Amino acid sequence: DIVMTQSPLSLPVTPGEPASISCRSSQSLLHSNGNNYLSWYLQKPGQSPQLLIYLGSTRASGVPDRFSGGGSGTDFTLKISRVEAEDVGIYYCMQALQTLRTFGQGTKLEIK
Amino acid sequence: QVQLQESGPGLVKPSQTLSLTCTVSDGSISSTSYYWSWIRQPGGKGLEWIGRVYTTGSTDYNPALKSRVTIAVDTSKNQFSLRLSTVTAADTAVYYCARASSSGWYGNAFDIWGQGTMVTVSS
């Protein structure tokens, strides 16, 4: 199994300030086709997860451009350029390289 | 926009079988472009992939649950289902159904999720 490890697990942020979440995988997520099979999700309070980023850095439809994803291989980062109140929730990374999909533990973003 | 909706009993007794259904709306489960998955989330915890089914009925399961899980598709009803046998309190969770591409679209990420259904295992 590919183990996904996120940090930090808790992230208090002042509105308007940037935020960054790290995700590391126990194996490289870089496919021979050049794509990194890493996605990011946001689970807002009381809701199901929603797709933010796929293939490591591509924003899903409707996702604000303050969200950006980067990294390759085993190290990935989700960045929010200026946090807004609506960004609170738990952020998960997930690998889709192997059939057995695995998620990170989640990072809870809260507003200071 | 395709929508997914989970349904089934909210309470299951220990040692019995948990059964859930996911209904696909505004789209066809017979599409050869997608896998249909079940994912669960125990209270206050992270996400666990249970398994998936393709329109042909082909399945893949999480090895940790494989001996107890059956996922099936019913194209006539545009639904797919989850059966989890011999449940214990550890199976108490919110259960989600979700869609992912089988063709590489969206990097095979889960692009559409159901709202989730809470299942409690208790006598």
Side-chain angles (χ1 to χ4, degrees), chain A residues 1 37-39 41 43 47-51 53-55 60-61 90 92 94 96 99-105, chain B residues 39 41 45-49 52 60-63 96 100-101 104-111 113-116:
Chain A
D1 303 1
Y37 284 85
L38 186 283
S39 50
Y41 302 84
Q43 185 173 31
Q47 297 184 18
S48 53
Q50 60 187 84
L51 178 63
I53 301 284
Y54 60 94
L55 292 177
S61 177
I90 302 176
Y92 294 96
M94 185 201 81
T99 299
L100 172 55
R101 303 294 196 249
T102 48
F103 295 85
Q105 319 98 297
Chain B
I39 297 161
Q41 184 173 37
K45 296 186 179 180
L47 299 161
E48 180 181 33
W49 182 77
R52 68 185 185 186
D60 295 294
Y61 299 131
N62 185 328
Y96 296 99
S101 170
W105 298 345
Y106 297 111
N108 300 335
F110 294 111
D111 65 327
W113 297 64
Q115 65 183 30

Side-chain angles (χ1 to χ4, degrees), chain B residues 58-81:
Chain B
S58 171
T59 54
D60 295 294
Y61 299 131
N62 185 328
L65 300 169
K66 186 174 184 176
S67 64
R68 299 194 291 130
V69 173
T70 302
I71 298 176
V73 63
D74 186 338
T75 55
S76 67
K77 295 183 178 178
N78 224 30
Q79 296 175 334
F80 63 106
S81 62

Side-chain angles (χ1 to χ4, degrees), chain A residues 65-103:
Chain A
D65 60 8
R66 64 179 181 275
F67 290 92
S68 63
S72 183
T74 60
D75 291 325
F76 299 88
T77 304
L78 176 70
K79 294 183 179 180
I80 309 173
S81 59
R82 295 174 304 279
V83 171
E84 298 186 4
E86 66 180 23
D87 299 336
V88 298
I90 302 176
Y91 291 78
Y92 294 96
C93 60
M94 185 201 81
Q95 66 79 22
L97 184 67
Q98 290 187 348
T99 299
L100 172 55
R101 303 294 196 249
T102 48
F103 295 85

